[in-house]
């Protein structure tokens, strides 16, 4: 829940423009500054929101996963989570009263309310995917995910649990620094500041902040935020901090309060990113060690059984071919256990980690194809993306941008000849610094983009 910054993030303004807020700069390597390595590491985690490309991929991946899930279940939504389901509203009410879970669908059993919540969850997932008002949409996405899943908890699987956790973590990250509409809007604001123009006036941000604040006040006063303490505390902290960001950006855009807010936001982002990494490692470690204890995994036949269950065979012919090969079943069964147990230990070796990461992504793609669990696989691949190398993500982003421009240039009315109608604007064609990524000492992606306050969605509604 954020109200937009009047200044916006400064990405392209020259150093003498006076538009960059004061931030802590890490000492140059080998400079021998006070404190040595620990001091430079502390400066880095406070001065930068690390992993901008990784956090953006996690945001896009989980938003897309839940968006596609909601769209697929659109015809069945009333039976799964609505008034026509076997787990009717009274049973869900008794369960949430007992486990103190949060769900806005428990506020009333009205069909109109259910449709509104389902539609809002779907729209917030789409907006989060695009990176539009990311701070606000991440909160609405979290509320929607928790509400829908806690309404009928017996409808979920392992993938839903991962989405459940990541929806909460994304609220604390600055996941819109790159590959988002917020980053594009921030770049345009920086271009205006560079030529001395005032920032564009934002009406949407304050309106969203006021409306959601009224909803938060009403929900808190009526006891509609569940029985846990952390959710109301999180929502109120985000809403009040959004106001603090707006005030500081408006009246003290270059002062110490702005620097302090940036440091706190960076610390929250970096700590949350570490939590996401640990979460992924725990998922694989526990899954692998539990498999080791199973007799079917020990004798190498575990994969054979799901391949012969009708519920898990969307392609029976393909499952029959794979299940008929005892050697292939044994290799895949043992390989799954080895990869899951070994992955947390490979983080200490970048090359081995990258190889194993590719294997795990292929494994989840195979699960989606052979066992008919696409959303579980999408959720796990999105979680794995937090470990992808920055250089690869920058390369992928550049290739995607080039491919999109070539596709658009081939559309009717868009000429490739310079100076002709339909030619893309040169300034627009120039690579966005937030999307192109930095290059330091000839090493692509060696240094994270220096986007502070806004690009990560920490202004009052961005």
């Amino acid at each position: 829940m954020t109200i937009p910054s009047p200044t916006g993030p400064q990405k392209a303004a020259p150093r003498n423009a006076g538009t960059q807020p004061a931030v802590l700069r890490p000492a140059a390597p080998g400079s021998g500054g006070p404190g040595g390595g620990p001091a430079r590491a502390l400066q880095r985690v406070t001065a930068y929101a690390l992993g901008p490309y990784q956090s953006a991929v996690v945001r896009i991946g989980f938003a897309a996963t839940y968006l596609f899930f909601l769209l697929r279940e659109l015809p069945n939504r009333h039976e799964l989570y609505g008034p026509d389901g076997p787990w009717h509203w009274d049973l869900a009410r008794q369960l949430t009263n007992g486990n103190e879970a949060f769900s806005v669908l428990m506020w009333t059993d009205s069909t109109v309310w259910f449709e509104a919540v389902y539609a809002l969850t779907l729209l917030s997932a789409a907006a989060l995917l695009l990176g539009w008002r990311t701070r606000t949409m991440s909160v609405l996405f979290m509320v929607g995910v928790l509400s829908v899943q806690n309404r009928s908890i017996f409808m979920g699987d392992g993938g839903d649990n991962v989405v459940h956790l990541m929806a909460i973590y994304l609220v604390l990250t600055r996941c819109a620094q790159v590959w988002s509409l917020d980053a594009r809007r921030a770049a345009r604001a920086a271009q205006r500041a560079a030529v001395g123009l005032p920032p564009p006036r934002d009406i949407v941000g304050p309106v969203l902040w006021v409306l959601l604040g009224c909803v938060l006040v009403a929900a808190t006063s009526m006891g509609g935020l569940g029985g846990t303490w952390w959710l109301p505390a999180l929502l109120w902290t985000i809403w009040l901090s959004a106001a603090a960001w707006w005030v500081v950006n408006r009246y003290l855009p270059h002062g110490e309060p702005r620097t302090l807010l940036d440091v706190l936001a960076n610390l929250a982002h970096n700590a949350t990113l570490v939590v996401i990494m640990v979460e992924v490692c725990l998922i694989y470690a526990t899954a692998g060690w539990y498999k080791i204890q199973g007799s079917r995994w020990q004798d190498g036949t575990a994969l054979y059984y799901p391949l012969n269950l009708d519920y898990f065979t969307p392609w029976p012919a393909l499952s029959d071919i794979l299940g008929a090969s005892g050697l292939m079943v044994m290799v895949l069964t043992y390989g799954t256990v080895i990869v899951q147990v070994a992955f947390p230990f490979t983080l200490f070796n970048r090359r081995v980690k990258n190889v194993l990461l590719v294997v795990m992504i292929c494994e989840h793609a195979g699960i989606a194809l052979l066992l008919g669990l696409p959303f579980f696989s999408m959720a796990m691949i999105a979680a794995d993306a937090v470990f992808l190398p920055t250089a690869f993500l920058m390369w992928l982003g550049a290739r995607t941008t080039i491919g999109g421009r070539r596709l658009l240039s081939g559309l009717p009315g868009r000429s490739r000849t310079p100076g002709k109608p339909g030619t893309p604007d040169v300034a627009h064609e120039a690579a966005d610094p937030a999307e192109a990524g930095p290059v330091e000492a000839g090493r692509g992606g060696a240094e994270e983009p220096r986007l502070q306050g806004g690009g990560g969605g920490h202004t009052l509604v961005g």
Side-chain angles (χ1 to χ4, degrees), residues 10-98:
Q10 310 298 327
K11 298 197 303 184
R15 294 184 181 272
N16 59 359
T19 56
Q20 288 281 10
V23 295
L24 299 174
R25 300 292 185 188
S31 61
R40 289 197 298 271
L42 179 61
Q43 283 185 318
R44 183 167 178 79
V45 299
T46 55
Y48 300 104
L50 304 177
Y53 295 95
Q54 288 81 355
S55 58
V57 172
V58 171
R59 182 200 85 230
I60 294 170
F62 280 100
T65 299
Y66 212 64
L67 173 63
F68 295 150
F69 172 77
L70 294 176
L71 290 175
R72 191 194 71 170
E73 300 300 347
L74 197 61
N76 308 311
R77 63 190 184 279
H78 287 276
E79 289 77 17
L80 291 177
Y81 303 105
D84 299 334
W87 189 252
H88 56 77
W89 191 83
D90 291 333
L91 289 174
R93 184 70 175 179
Q94 294 178 33
L95 182 61
T96 54
N97 287 338

Side-chain angles (χ1 to χ4, degrees), residues 257-338:
R258 170 59 188 273
T259 302
L260 176 62
L261 290 178
D262 265 324
V263 167
L264 294 176
N266 291 336
L267 285 174
H269 168 92
N270 295 331
T272 305
L273 213 59
V274 172
V275 171
I276 293 175
M277 295 178 181
V278 173
E279 189 77 41
V280 175
C281 291
L282 286 175
I283 290 173
Y284 285 119
T286 54
W289 286 107
Y290 272 111
K291 286 181 174 66
I292 289 177
Q293 301 175 41
S295 59
R296 300 306 179 192
W297 291 96
Q298 292 175 7
D299 60 25
T301 62
L303 185 62
Y304 173 81
Y305 299 97
L307 290 176
N308 287 273
L309 294 175
D310 292 339
Y311 184 77
F312 291 106
T313 52
W315 311 98
L318 184 59
S319 299
D320 290 343
I321 294 174
L322 184 60
S325 173
L327 177 61
M328 184 62 68
V329 169
M330 184 185 66
V331 169
L332 292 178
T333 300
Y334 286 148
T336 299
V337 176
I338 293 172

